[in-house]
Amino acid sequence: MPINTDYLVIGSGIAGLRFALDAAQTGTVAIVTKKEKTEGSTNYAQGGIASVLDPDDSFALHIKDTLTSGDGICNEDIVKVVVEEGPRRIHELISFGVQFSHQEGQKKIFDLGREGGHSKRRIVHTKDLTGREVEKRLLARAEENPNIQLYENHMAIDLISKSTLIRRGIVTKQTDQSCWGAYVLEAETDAILTFLARITVLCSGGAGKVYRYTSNPDIASGDGVAMGFRAGVKVANMEFVQFHPTSLYHPLARNFLISEAVRGEGGILLDKKGNRFMESYHPLKDLAFRDIVARSIDMELKKTGDQCVYLDISHKGKDFITHRFPHIHETCLSFHIDITREPIPVVPAAHYMCGGLLTDEHGRTNLKNLFAIGEVACTGLHGANRLASNSLLEALVFARRAALRAAQELTAGKQEGFPQAPKWDPGSATDSEELVVVSHNWDEIRRFMWNYVGIVRTNKRLARAKRRVEIIQEEIKEYYWDFLVSQDLLELRNLALVAELIITCASLRKESRGLHFNLDYPSQDNKFWRQDTVIWK
Ligand code: FAD
Ligand code: SIN
């Protein structure tokens, strides 16, 4: 039997939970999430949420900083909407119980943080554990709501749309391009469930796992972009992969971020000999825009042959550091690095996907009844390089806007009856005995993406990556049809497709802009390329 719901939300990070809380006022909501309910980038967010909350700041300045960071291709209307709706969304979070840090002894004055590219202090945070606090409070609200049902360890495989059914050899009477829910793998039983929904919302986060080194948690395998693309959704700006300049460099540390807020509070980047180097790259020095800092570190490492650079905050003293950055302090200590006394070894790592499924000002994709919110979406806010801490803000603003629009579409759609779709048919697939193939392919993708489609690209490297990904895609295709699906295989299939989309967008853009730097076209071409890179199936 299919599971019927008004709204199907795929993902339980900030975007999915915030959307669900509003949507539950107008219908039933099923949230499917592929691992434990808190597992997603939201839970690991450190720096905070950017918004204009200080009388000394202004919307005009936040807009200007976002546009400058985006390097000429932000959608200015969207930037205005997000910045101006920001403070209301922050106050809503507070009404849900989120506790942000305040200045010492000042219960009403936020302790606003600063990060690269911001001309003012404007980042609300909960020390260096902002995401954990936001996730916890939103989740608590969602779990007490009788209209919301949360399905943990349920991984969406594919959207149910005309394209997906035809691809699976199923004849459909449906003529329009709409979405009616998703097929979902239940981890505990390996059963494939059919979720039928009047409105489907992809909130599945980013794709950092496509690179060998990343700040992202394991869930970030680009499932949403891959599912959307397969179903016929337009995808934009995938070449703009943001590399965070400072992730911890330690053989035992898996993807641990050292927040940009550390530099915002006076942290300084140093080379191995203890020399500052950012002043020779940009007038904003250590607080330059993220693309510039990551590229500068990359150049330093190539120039010196060193394995890492260093970030020093020790001059701020133990009291300040342990109060402001308790999580970073403790985590580094667990690796025997005392950040109150010594610099932190750091390297850049893939961090954020500025591109994604193309959406309008209400979070709608080009498929009827399908919305996309959060990191999976390309709304036009970030352009060629996201301004730090604008991502959680974007998710909050679009979750609200999408919920308002989806409620209208739900009412209109009710006259059309409930969507129908056949059960998942595994065909003649059998259990695989060679799962090792999956992990080999996975490793290979992450390696060549790091080596050929990383911070600095060339035409030759992109062509090499394209050839590699084509071969892997072929292997996956054979494998996919012969064997029963598993979570690893599904993630590999998505990862390979996302890699292909990044390579395609990067190869199309014949200039350098923001996060996309190609040595064969080192300058910006504002005559032709001041636009998004949009692709679809
Ligand atoms: P996520 O929070 O990643 O949630 C995605 C959800 O989708 C998860 O529940 C996941 O399990 C689920 N999912 C994925 N695929 C499937 C599937 N196939 N089926 C079912 N469920 C699925 N941004 C800021 O603005 N400020 C910060 O301070 C900040 N710090 C960061 C620190 C780190 C370490 C990282 C990694 C990112 C940071 N970012 C920050 C970026 C920001 O956290 C993310 O962009 C944002 O949290 C994304 O929210 P989301 O709801 O779109 O996705
Ligand atoms: C950080 O704390 O440095 C991450 C902020 C972000 O990605 O916006």
Side-chain angles (χ1 to χ4, degrees):
M1 281 289 285
I3 296 164
N4 292 352
T5 179
D6 288 326
Y7 299 99
L8 172 64
V9 177
I10 299 173
S12 59
I14 190 170
L17 294 172
R18 186 61 195 85
F19 175 89
L21 289 175
D22 276 351
Q25 293 172 22
T26 58
T28 53
V29 184
I31 304 178
V32 295
T33 190
K34 75 175 170 183
K35 294 249 165 87
E36 301 81 41
K37 55 198 170 190
T38 54
E39 196 51 18
S41 291
T42 301
N43 206 37
Y44 297 92
Q46 295 182 353
I49 313 178
S51 196
V52 176
L53 296 158
D54 187 314
D56 196 30
D57 195 2
S58 69
F59 289 149
L61 283 176
H62 190 182
I63 291 171
K64 185 166 170 262
D65 293 344
T66 304
L67 294 175
T68 312
S69 182
D71 212 4
I73 58 162
C74 296
N75 177 326
E76 294 194 21
D77 294 336
I78 294 291
V79 174
K80 194 164 179 294
V81 161
V82 173
V83 166
E84 292 183 357
E85 291 184 13
R88 266 173 287 163
R89 303 288 83 87
I90 300 288
H91 285 290
E92 259 163 23
L93 277 188
I94 295 168
S95 75
F96 294 155
V98 173
Q99 305 206 351
F100 291 116
S101 301
H102 289 86
Q103 289 182 12
E104 202 71 33
Q106 301 275 357
K107 281 204 174 122
K108 291 209 170 124
I109 307 182
F110 293 118
D111 175 33
L112 295 174
R114 190 165 183 181
E115 290 178 31
H118 287 276
S119 54
K120 293 279 174 189
R121 285 191 169 264
R122 65 165 70 99
I123 295 154
V124 276
H125 59 91
T126 310
K127 297 189 184 271
D128 56 354
L129 283 164
T130 313
R132 196 180 293 180
E133 169 71 6
V134 170
E135 179 76 22
K136 180 172 88 181
R137 304 290 178 181
L138 290 178
L139 204 49
R141 280 272 166 152
E143 288 187 313
E144 69 193 20
N145 192 313
N147 263 359
I148 300 177
Q149 181 88 33
L150 187 72
Y151 296 81
E152 265 183 309
N153 300 309
H154 280 64
M155 177 180 183
I157 303 174
D158 258 323
L159 298 170
I160 303 177
S161 72
K162 189 178 170 195
S163 313
T164 351
L165 294 180
I166 292 174
R167 196 164 31 81
R168 295 194 62 79
I170 296 165
V171 181
T172 167
K173 288 192 199 127
Q174 192 75 20
T175 49
D176 67 347
Q177 282 294 354
S178 49
C179 177
W180 323 301
Y183 292 116
V184 174
L185 175 68
E186 183 182 36
E188 203 184 1
T189 59
D190 279 342
I192 293 170
L193 311 176
T194 309
F195 279 76
L196 292 176
R198 295 183 198 277
I199 303 284
T200 303
V201 193
L202 279 166
C203 303
S204 49
K209 294 297 284 188
V210 86
Y211 285 91
R212 185 163 177 210
Y213 303 108
T214 175
S215 65
N216 288 190
D218 286 349
I219 59 98
S221 48
D223 300 357
V225 169
M227 282 189 276
F229 184 79
R230 285 196 292 269
V233 179
K234 289 183 181 173
V235 169
N237 291 356
M238 292 298 287
E239 67 274 40
F240 299 119
V241 176
Q242 185 167 69
F243 291 81
H244 196 291
T246 58
S247 81
L248 180 62
Y249 177 74
H250 188 281
L252 299 179
R254 267 188 93 223
N255 57 27
F256 184 68
L257 190 79
I258 308 295
S259 175
E260 200 155 307
V262 172
R263 275 176 285 133
E265 297 299 344
I268 297 164
L269 287 163
L270 303 171
D271 64 17
K272 197 174 168 183
K273 294 185 183 136
N275 298 319
R276 294 185 75 151
F277 57 85
M278 273 312 297
E279 41 210 19
S280 49
Y281 290 98
H282 197 273
L284 289 172
K285 301 177 196 164
D286 302 275
L287 280 179
F289 294 96
R290 205 171 267 182
D291 54 339
I292 292 163
V293 181
R295 213 155 39 237
S296 308
I297 295 177
D298 187 68
M299 281 182 188
E300 281 295 306
L301 295 179
K302 286 192 174 129
K303 209 164 68 187
T304 58
D306 293 339
Q307 299 292 313
C308 64
V309 295
Y310 295 86
L311 177 58
D312 191 10
I313 181 85
S314 60
H315 53 278
K316 293 290 284 193
K318 188 168 181 174
D319 287 351
F320 175 82
I321 294 170
T322 52
H323 176 75
R324 177 66 178 85
F325 301 113
H327 180 56
I328 296 175
H329 174 247
E330 274 166 34
T331 308
C332 288
L333 259 190
S334 72
F335 295 109
H336 308 290
I337 301 163
D338 181 353
I339 71 171
T340 67
R341 298 154 66 97
E342 61 191 314
I344 315 165
V346 290
V347 283
H351 180 64
Y352 184 84
M353 179 174 78
C354 292
L357 301 175
L358 194 62
T359 56
D360 69 4
E361 69 274 26
H362 305 290
R364 288 182 299 190
T365 69
N366 57 301
L367 230 62
K368 199 173 149 211
N369 302 334
L370 180 69
F371 291 69
I373 317 168
E375 195 167 333
V376 70
C378 180
T379 65
L381 175 69
H382 309 308
N385 176 43
R386 174 179 67 102
L387 183 65
S389 287
N390 262 357
S391 162
L392 297 173
L393 177 71
E394 179 192 47
L396 288 174
V397 168
F398 274 94
R400 171 88 185 144
R401 296 178 73 82
L404 291 174
R405 179 49 68 114
Q408 291 170 12
E409 299 197 353
L410 182 76
T411 313
K414 278 191 173 159
Q415 280 120 38
E416 292 172 17
F418 211 81
Q420 302 292 322
K423 273 174 61 175
W424 178 270
D425 175 10
S428 56
T430 56
D431 262 329
S432 163
E433 282 164 10
E434 273 208 87
L435 279 175
V436 68
V437 175
V438 174
S439 72
H440 286 170
N441 279 336
W442 177 291
D443 282 350
E444 196 180 333
I445 293 173
R446 297 185 67 197
R447 252 170 229 279
F448 71 66
M449 287 301 286
W450 184 261
N451 290 333
Y452 302 150
V453 200
I455 297 174
V456 176
R457 300 154 182 183
T458 65
N459 287 348
K460 219 174 184 174
R461 290 181 206 166
L462 290 174
R464 257 186 214 158
K466 188 169 185 305
R467 280 198 297 277
R468 303 267 192 300
V469 86
E470 279 169 0
I471 295 170
I472 291 182
Q473 295 269 42
E474 272 310 307
E475 285 177 18
I476 295 171
K477 224 185 266 167
E478 282 166 28
Y479 207 87
Y480 188 74
W481 291 112
D482 287 349
F483 298 112
L484 289 170
V485 292
S486 66
Q487 181 152 338
D488 286 348
L489 176 55
L490 292 169
E491 285 182 344
L492 172 68
R493 181 176 71 138
N494 293 335
L495 212 68
L497 177 52
V498 171
E500 185 197 322
L501 297 176
I502 296 172
I503 297 165
T504 304
C505 288
S507 307
L508 284 169
R509 184 170 289 276
K510 310 253 183 269
E511 63 156 0
S512 289
R513 179 186 299 274
L515 296 155
H516 175 67
F517 188 72
N518 184 335
L519 285 172
D520 291 308
Y521 314 103
S523 39
Q524 220 167 64
D525 174 0
N526 281 322
K527 264 206 189 119
F528 185 75
W529 274 111
R530 203 163 173 174
Q531 54 171 319
D532 294 333
T533 319
V534 184
I535 52 175
W536 63 94
K537 215 165 71 161

Tab-separated table of all heavy atoms in Angstrom, residues 44-48 115 242 244 246 257-263 290 351-352 386-392, ligand 2:
chain	number	residue	atom	x	y	z
A	44	TYR	N	25.920	20.604	11.952
A	44	TYR	CA	27.348	20.898	12.127
A	44	TYR	C	27.686	22.376	11.924
A	44	TYR	O	28.849	22.753	12.022
A	44	TYR	CB	28.184	20.046	11.162
A	44	TYR	CG	28.023	18.560	11.446
A	44	TYR	CD1	27.066	17.819	10.786
A	44	TYR	CD2	28.810	17.945	12.420
A	44	TYR	CE1	26.889	16.469	11.068
A	44	TYR	CE2	28.641	16.604	12.711
A	44	TYR	CZ	27.682	15.869	12.039
A	44	TYR	OH	27.500	14.546	12.330
A	45	ALA	N	26.667	23.175	11.588
A	45	ALA	CA	26.946	24.592	11.298
A	45	ALA	C	27.534	25.252	12.535
A	45	ALA	O	27.059	25.047	13.647
A	45	ALA	CB	25.679	25.294	10.853
A	46	GLN	N	28.570	26.028	12.309
A	46	GLN	CA	29.283	26.625	13.444
A	46	GLN	C	29.069	28.131	13.523
A	46	GLN	O	28.553	28.654	14.505
A	46	GLN	CB	30.784	26.342	13.321
A	46	GLN	CG	31.150	24.877	13.425
A	46	GLN	CD	32.666	24.661	13.341
A	46	GLN	OE1	33.436	25.573	13.084
A	46	GLN	NE2	33.100	23.435	13.557
A	47	GLY	N	29.466	28.837	12.435
A	47	GLY	CA	29.540	30.305	12.456
A	47	GLY	C	28.245	30.966	12.866
A	47	GLY	O	28.197	31.788	13.777
A	48	GLY	N	27.126	30.626	12.184
A	48	GLY	CA	25.838	31.201	12.542
A	48	GLY	C	25.011	31.630	11.343
A	48	GLY	O	25.197	31.125	10.233
A	115	GLU	N	32.370	37.415	9.718
A	115	GLU	CA	33.073	36.430	8.872
A	115	GLU	C	33.518	37.114	7.590
A	115	GLU	O	33.163	38.275	7.344
A	115	GLU	CB	32.143	35.231	8.586
A	115	GLU	CG	31.915	34.385	9.831
A	115	GLU	CD	30.964	33.219	9.623
A	115	GLU	OE1	30.907	32.686	8.514
A	115	GLU	OE2	30.278	32.869	10.582
A	242	GLN	N	31.928	25.666	-3.379
A	242	GLN	CA	32.676	26.499	-2.434
A	242	GLN	C	33.603	25.646	-1.571
A	242	GLN	O	33.156	24.691	-0.931
A	242	GLN	CB	31.706	27.267	-1.536
A	242	GLN	CG	32.418	28.249	-0.624
A	242	GLN	CD	31.443	29.223	0.022
A	242	GLN	OE1	30.643	28.835	0.859
A	242	GLN	NE2	31.526	30.482	-0.360
A	244	HIS	N	35.842	25.643	1.684
A	244	HIS	CA	36.069	26.423	2.905
A	244	HIS	C	37.573	26.480	3.122
A	244	HIS	O	38.252	25.452	3.030
A	244	HIS	CB	35.371	25.758	4.094
A	244	HIS	CG	35.236	26.666	5.283
A	244	HIS	ND1	36.317	27.072	6.025
A	244	HIS	CD2	34.153	27.258	5.840
A	244	HIS	CE1	35.902	27.878	6.992
A	244	HIS	NE2	34.590	28.006	6.898
A	246	THR	N	39.409	26.739	5.767
A	246	THR	CA	40.063	26.190	6.952
A	246	THR	C	39.349	24.968	7.543
A	246	THR	O	38.497	25.089	8.415
A	246	THR	CB	40.178	27.283	8.056
A	246	THR	OG1	38.873	27.774	8.382
A	246	THR	CG2	41.043	28.445	7.614
A	257	LEU	N	35.529	21.233	10.656
A	257	LEU	CA	35.680	22.614	10.210
A	257	LEU	C	36.233	23.502	11.326
A	257	LEU	O	35.891	23.322	12.487
A	257	LEU	CB	34.289	23.136	9.813
A	257	LEU	CG	34.288	24.487	9.103
A	257	LEU	CD1	34.676	24.305	7.646
A	257	LEU	CD2	32.918	25.132	9.191
A	258	ILE	N	37.083	24.447	10.942
A	258	ILE	CA	37.468	25.511	11.877
A	258	ILE	C	36.771	26.772	11.360
A	258	ILE	O	37.129	27.338	10.339
A	258	ILE	CB	39.004	25.737	11.910
A	258	ILE	CG1	39.758	24.412	12.159
A	258	ILE	CG2	39.354	26.783	12.964
A	258	ILE	CD1	39.526	23.765	13.511
A	259	SER	N	35.761	27.182	12.088
A	259	SER	CA	34.855	28.241	11.622
A	259	SER	C	35.584	29.511	11.173
A	259	SER	O	36.578	29.926	11.777
A	259	SER	CB	33.898	28.608	12.751
A	259	SER	OG	33.097	29.691	12.358
A	260	GLU	N	34.989	30.126	10.158
A	260	GLU	CA	35.491	31.418	9.689
A	260	GLU	C	35.354	32.477	10.788
A	260	GLU	O	36.033	33.504	10.772
A	260	GLU	CB	34.665	31.823	8.462
A	260	GLU	CG	35.324	32.847	7.610
A	260	GLU	CD	34.827	32.760	6.176
A	260	GLU	OE1	34.867	31.667	5.571
A	260	GLU	OE2	34.401	33.803	5.657
A	261	ALA	N	34.465	32.211	11.733
A	261	ALA	CA	34.298	33.133	12.860
A	261	ALA	C	35.602	33.267	13.651
A	261	ALA	O	35.833	34.287	14.308
A	261	ALA	CB	33.179	32.646	13.767
A	262	VAL	N	36.465	32.254	13.565
A	262	VAL	CA	37.760	32.344	14.255
A	262	VAL	C	38.578	33.491	13.645
A	262	VAL	O	39.176	34.307	14.357
A	262	VAL	CB	38.527	30.993	14.164
A	262	VAL	CG1	39.939	31.124	14.702
A	262	VAL	CG2	37.764	29.899	14.918
A	263	ARG	N	38.532	33.582	12.312
A	263	ARG	CA	39.217	34.725	11.684
A	263	ARG	C	38.467	36.022	11.971
A	263	ARG	O	39.055	37.078	12.137
A	263	ARG	CB	39.365	34.495	10.178
A	263	ARG	CG	40.596	33.674	9.851
A	263	ARG	CD	40.702	33.364	8.379
A	263	ARG	NE	39.757	32.321	8.005
A	263	ARG	CZ	38.969	32.374	6.951
A	263	ARG	NH1	38.992	33.407	6.139
A	263	ARG	NH2	38.144	31.378	6.685
A	290	ARG	N	35.523	34.234	0.682
A	290	ARG	CA	35.959	32.855	0.876
A	290	ARG	C	36.693	32.270	-0.337
A	290	ARG	O	37.666	31.544	-0.193
A	290	ARG	CB	34.737	32.009	1.192
A	290	ARG	CG	35.035	30.796	1.944
A	290	ARG	CD	33.761	30.143	2.397
A	290	ARG	NE	33.373	30.567	3.732
A	290	ARG	CZ	32.319	30.102	4.371
A	290	ARG	NH1	31.551	29.208	3.796
A	290	ARG	NH2	32.026	30.519	5.578
A	351	HIS	N	32.956	22.479	0.630
A	351	HIS	CA	32.102	22.866	1.757
A	351	HIS	C	30.651	23.101	1.372
A	351	HIS	O	29.747	22.696	2.086
A	351	HIS	CB	32.700	24.142	2.354
A	351	HIS	CG	31.964	24.685	3.529
A	351	HIS	ND1	31.852	24.002	4.723
A	351	HIS	CD2	31.304	25.869	3.714
A	351	HIS	CE1	31.170	24.739	5.595
A	351	HIS	NE2	30.808	25.862	4.995
A	352	TYR	N	30.432	23.729	0.229
A	352	TYR	CA	29.059	24.179	-0.062
A	352	TYR	C	28.804	24.198	-1.566
A	352	TYR	O	29.665	24.594	-2.348
A	352	TYR	CB	28.855	25.591	0.508
A	352	TYR	CG	27.437	26.070	0.340
A	352	TYR	CD1	26.456	25.720	1.265
A	352	TYR	CD2	27.067	26.840	-0.755
A	352	TYR	CE1	25.145	26.132	1.099
A	352	TYR	CE2	25.766	27.254	-0.929
A	352	TYR	CZ	24.808	26.902	0.008
A	352	TYR	OH	23.509	27.306	-0.161
A	386	ARG	N	29.030	32.072	-2.418
A	386	ARG	CA	28.139	32.401	-1.295
A	386	ARG	C	28.852	33.221	-0.227
A	386	ARG	O	29.978	32.891	0.172
A	386	ARG	CB	27.617	31.110	-0.657
A	386	ARG	CG	26.802	31.329	0.589
A	386	ARG	CD	26.307	30.024	1.139
A	386	ARG	NE	27.390	29.199	1.625
A	386	ARG	CZ	27.710	29.045	2.912
A	386	ARG	NH1	27.014	29.678	3.847
A	386	ARG	NH2	28.692	28.256	3.270
A	387	LEU	N	28.185	34.252	0.247
A	387	LEU	CA	28.702	35.013	1.382
A	387	LEU	C	28.524	34.165	2.646
A	387	LEU	O	27.473	33.543	2.844
A	387	LEU	CB	27.917	36.325	1.517
A	387	LEU	CG	28.359	37.287	2.621
A	387	LEU	CD1	29.761	37.834	2.359
A	387	LEU	CD2	27.365	38.441	2.742
A	388	ALA	N	29.539	34.150	3.501
A	388	ALA	CA	29.504	33.301	4.699
A	388	ALA	C	28.226	33.522	5.502
A	388	ALA	O	27.748	34.647	5.658
A	388	ALA	CB	30.716	33.639	5.570
A	389	SER	N	27.672	32.416	5.998
A	389	SER	CA	26.492	32.401	6.872
A	389	SER	C	25.204	32.887	6.213
A	389	SER	O	24.211	33.165	6.895
A	389	SER	CB	26.768	33.157	8.178
A	389	SER	OG	27.632	32.356	8.971
A	390	ASN	N	25.212	32.968	4.891
A	390	ASN	CA	23.975	33.287	4.171
A	390	ASN	C	23.163	32.035	3.848
A	390	ASN	O	22.056	32.148	3.308
A	390	ASN	CB	24.303	33.998	2.848
A	390	ASN	CG	24.165	35.512	2.958
A	390	ASN	OD1	23.777	36.023	4.011
A	390	ASN	ND2	24.462	36.221	1.885
A	391	SER	N	23.699	30.858	4.151
A	391	SER	CA	23.017	29.639	3.715
A	391	SER	C	21.859	29.267	4.634
A	391	SER	O	20.745	28.959	4.189
A	391	SER	CB	24.039	28.509	3.672
A	391	SER	OG	23.400	27.279	3.658
A	392	LEU	N	22.107	29.307	5.934
A	392	LEU	CA	21.018	29.001	6.875
A	392	LEU	C	19.918	30.045	6.709
A	392	LEU	O	18.721	29.735	6.785
A	392	LEU	CB	21.552	28.983	8.312
A	392	LEU	CG	22.601	27.900	8.608
A	392	LEU	CD1	23.193	28.080	10.005
A	392	LEU	CD2	22.010	26.496	8.482
B	2	SIN	C1	31.845	28.689	9.240
B	2	SIN	O1	31.508	28.688	10.423
B	2	SIN	O2	32.967	29.041	8.856
B	2	SIN	C2	30.883	28.252	8.209
B	2	SIN	C3	30.048	29.380	7.809
B	2	SIN	C4	29.383	29.112	6.507
B	2	SIN	O3	29.668	28.142	5.829
B	2	SIN	O4	28.560	29.944	6.137
